[in-house]
Amino acid sequence: MSEKSLAEKFDFTDDSVVVTGGASGIGRAVCETFAAHDANVTIADVDIDAAETVAATIEEEYDTRALAIETDVSSYDDATEMIETTVDEFGSIDVLVNNAGLSTGTSSFLESTPEDWDRAVGVTYFGTMNCTHAALSHMVDQESGCIINYASDSYKGNDPSLAVYGGAKAGNVAFTKNVAKEVGEHGIRMNVVSPGTTETPATEEWLAEYREKVLESYALNRLGKPQDIANTVAFLASDAAEWITAEVVSVNGGYIRG
């Protein structure tokens, strides 16, 4: 039997893909990229109106199925219900992209509060664990599946103002590497994408003030676009990456600082 062509390795026809935080920014780009490669997509987001808009756009533009589910990933019950609804609707869960994340919104750790930590860690780290736990039983039964989690350059300790967020992202890295080695025997792959500074609605206000300073840290002299990250996610989920697991892939335009 001949080897699949590269195009065939990026064919997600009838695959079921879940993207948390999929209603805007990087998450939306990920949803649309998988839909463009013929996957059925679940957009899981706390903003159900925006998620429904993305779902309608996907179904109209890409002629595939899309499901919007209101989901707070920090709630295990929400995460489980979202995964079960996806499986009921699409028949499987083939790819889970734990895109949802949240910072404390404060300029320093000292200014943050335990309530800030609970919310940021709840979405960014526990959200990853909740959705992964809910999806894995189905993937084990299928003997296949791919999970992509997120870090960021802040997990390396490069952003003092993002101590809690960076800590949660570091947790995602350790979590992914360890669980990947538990489930590999079931044909399940898990990897981490670590984006550099990316232009999204969430970073728009901050970049309006700091863009020129931030650009000094990138060898390619531009910031990331959501599609840059989505392309990497799609690659890691594809058959082209079938021998890659438990790895962290930085997508950061040649970030210069150590």
Side-chain angles (χ1 to χ4, degrees):
M1 184 175 179
S2 62
E3 174 76 6
K4 286 182 179 179
S5 70
L6 188 59
E8 288 171 332
K9 289 180 178 181
F10 280 87
D11 181 8
F12 294 97
T13 300
D14 294 329
D15 281 356
S16 169
V17 178
V18 169
V19 183
T20 68
S24 65
I26 293 171
R28 177 168 184 162
V30 171
C31 290
E32 293 183 344
T33 298
F34 278 109
H37 289 82
D38 300 315
N40 299 318
V41 181
T42 291
I43 303 101
D45 205 290
V46 290
D47 187 344
I48 188 59
D49 291 338
E52 288 175 344
T53 297
V54 174
T57 299
I58 284 173
E59 290 194 334
E60 181 178 350
E61 293 190 6
Y62 300 103
D63 193 29
T64 189
R65 298 170 67 194
L67 183 64
I69 304 177
E70 185 173 3
T71 310
D72 177 356
V73 296
S74 67
S75 162
Y76 183 74
D77 288 344
D78 265 26
T80 300
E81 183 177 353
M82 178 270 293
I83 295 294
E84 294 302 321
T85 301
T86 295
V87 173
D88 288 345
E89 184 72 18
F90 296 146
S92 65
I93 175 167
D94 301 293
V95 180
L96 168 63
V97 183
N98 284 309
N99 169 82
L102 190 68
S103 71
T104 60
T106 59
S107 59
S108 71
F109 175 70
L110 194 57
E111 292 178 0
S112 65
T113 67
E115 289 76 18
D116 296 326
W117 312 338
D118 286 346
R119 186 60 180 154
V121 175
V123 172
T124 306
Y125 182 49
F126 281 94
T128 295
M129 289 199 292
N130 288 339
C131 294
T132 297
H133 193 271
L136 275 178
S137 61
H138 294 285
M139 291 181 173
V140 167
D141 287 345
Q142 296 166 184
E143 287 289 306
S144 66
C146 180
I147 298 175
I148 297 165
N149 298 326
Y150 279 52
S152 81
D153 281 341
S154 60
Y155 95 90
K156 302 174 183 178
N158 291 322
D159 296 299
S161 63
L162 294 174
V164 176
Y165 179 77
K169 293 296 190 180
N172 282 349
V173 172
F175 170 74
T176 302
K177 285 179 172 288
N178 283 288
V179 179
K181 290 160 188 175
E182 293 181 18
V183 300
E185 65 180 329
H186 299 288
I188 300 166
R189 297 185 299 107
M190 295 178 63
N191 289 292
V192 177
V193 171
S194 184
T197 303
T198 306
E199 297 187 83
T200 69
T203 61
E204 184 177 9
E205 184 176 343
W206 179 73
L207 286 174
E209 184 173 356
Y210 296 109
R211 174 182 294 273
E212 294 307 313
K213 180 66 176 176
V214 171
L215 278 172
E216 295 174 5
S217 296
Y218 290 93
L220 293 182
N221 198 36
R222 75 167 175 88
L223 302 180
K225 303 290 187 184
Q227 194 62 52
D228 294 319
I229 315 305
N231 291 343
T232 305
V233 170
F235 163 70
L236 288 173
S238 76
D239 288 345
E242 63 183 352
W243 210 46
I244 300 175
T245 196
E247 293 297 332
V248 180
V249 179
S250 293
V251 189
N252 61 12
Y255 190 73
I256 295 167
R257 296 186 328 200

